[in-house]
Amino acid sequence: MKRVIVVLCICIALFLVVIASWYLGSENKSYEFTIQTELKKVKLSTLWIAVTKSVDLQNSTANLEWLYLKASDGKIRSLHLEFTGKNSQGESRIYYMNVNPSGLVNIYSKSIGDIQCTTHPMHIFARLDEFGLENIGSDYTLDTSFEWGDLGFNSSYGNLYLLKDGKLIPLEKVTFHVNSPICRILVCKDTCEVWFTQDDLLKAEEVVLKRNRFFA
């Protein structure tokens, strides 16, 4: 199962490259600025504020689609972010952001039809900032995406954690039966592990902490 998760990470990375190429070739708006790449200096919430100051977006309407971050030697080597929202004219748009190793940020956007409601990017970014990107390690990949339906996670196939108040609380088992999207944070170093926020665990049918203590 762990090997399957690693393969999944590689597939996601390749998928993001394809999507990026598609956006780069689109006819729509683009934006550009620069950020720090050292993990000790990077705050995703600060990055989000810079994004909202650079693009035409009603911040309250933003929905995170996915975030993929690759770090090595204590620096961001690549960061890909996709989110949706409405611009100042009320038009629904999708935004794709790419950060290269030198910290150059490029954002492209185009109009879309319906927007899927997930969660605001700042909610997830603030939780990750509380923990600290540098505390995850110096070499890793971090992927956030959304799932729904009948979902089961078990620590026997990879470590599970609740990300709360800047700490990781070990979980034994999590089961969902949901129609609304929940955020799965996949962190891969030597092995892969899954993190959940407290808000998403409150949607779970069953959450078992390590040592058989029940959370919900």
Side-chain angles (χ1 to χ4, degrees):
M1 180 63 70
K2 292 182 181 178
R3 192 172 293 177
V4 171
I5 294 177
V6 173
V7 172
L8 177 62
C9 288
I10 295 172
C11 292
I12 290 170
L14 292 174
F15 173 75
L16 297 183
V17 171
V18 173
I19 293 295
S21 300
W22 180 70
Y23 277 115
L24 288 169
S26 71
E27 77 289 354
N28 286 282
K29 296 181 180 179
S30 63
Y31 309 84
E32 184 177 292
F33 58 94
T34 303
I35 64 166
Q36 287 277 355
T37 59
E38 292 183 36
L39 294 178
K40 291 182 179 180
K41 298 180 180 179
V42 175
K43 295 291 184 184
L44 293 175
S45 52
T46 301
L47 173 60
W48 178 251
I49 292 171
V51 169
T52 59
K53 289 181 178 179
S54 300
V55 304
D56 182 8
L57 170 72
Q58 296 182 47
N59 188 22
S60 62
T61 68
N63 287 275
L64 179 63
E65 293 291 314
W66 44 254
L67 167 71
Y68 180 84
L69 185 155
K70 179 176 176 60
S72 64
D73 297 325
K75 293 184 178 181
I76 291 177
R77 298 305 174 183
S78 63
L79 188 155
H80 307 283
L81 169 67
E82 184 178 287
F83 59 94
T84 59
K86 294 183 180 295
N87 64 10
S88 56
Q89 287 75 46
E91 177 189 29
S92 297
R93 296 187 72 86
I94 190 165
Y95 301 80
Y96 176 82
M97 186 181 85
N98 175 70
V99 181
N100 70 16
S102 64
L104 180 64
V105 179
N106 288 286
I107 306 174
Y108 306 88
S109 78
K110 64 181 300 178
S111 61
I112 58 172
D114 295 334
I115 291 177
Q116 181 186 47
C117 292
T118 57
T119 190
H120 194 280
M122 184 64 91
H123 176 75
I124 301 298
F125 295 171
R127 303 290 83 74
L128 291 170
D129 285 344
E130 285 177 344
F131 185 81
L133 294 179
E134 75 278 12
N135 293 325
I136 299 175
S138 60
D139 299 89
Y140 62 86
T141 61
L142 184 150
D143 165 55
T144 68
S145 59
F146 289 85
E147 302 179 48
W148 56 92
D150 299 326
L151 307 171
F153 300 86
N154 192 304
S155 64
S156 61
Y157 299 116
N159 291 332
L160 304 176
Y161 295 100
L162 162 63
L163 177 61
K164 180 182 178 183
D165 299 330
K167 298 178 181 179
L168 292 176
I169 301 172
L171 304 172
E172 184 68 38
K173 179 182 178 182
V174 183
T175 304
F176 294 94
H177 299 293
V178 289
N179 294 321
S180 59
I182 58 99
C183 183
R184 182 220 59 185
I185 304 171
L186 180 67
V187 178
C188 294
K189 293 178 277 189
D190 295 330
T191 59
C192 295
E193 52 198 41
V194 177
W195 302 359
F196 299 101
T197 66
Q198 184 174 24
D199 286 348
D200 280 325
L201 284 192
L202 291 175
K203 302 174 186 177
E205 180 172 295
E206 181 185 26
V207 179
V208 182
L209 298 178
K210 285 286 189 179
R211 299 181 182 177
N212 296 321
R213 292 177 298 163
F214 284 81
F215 178 81

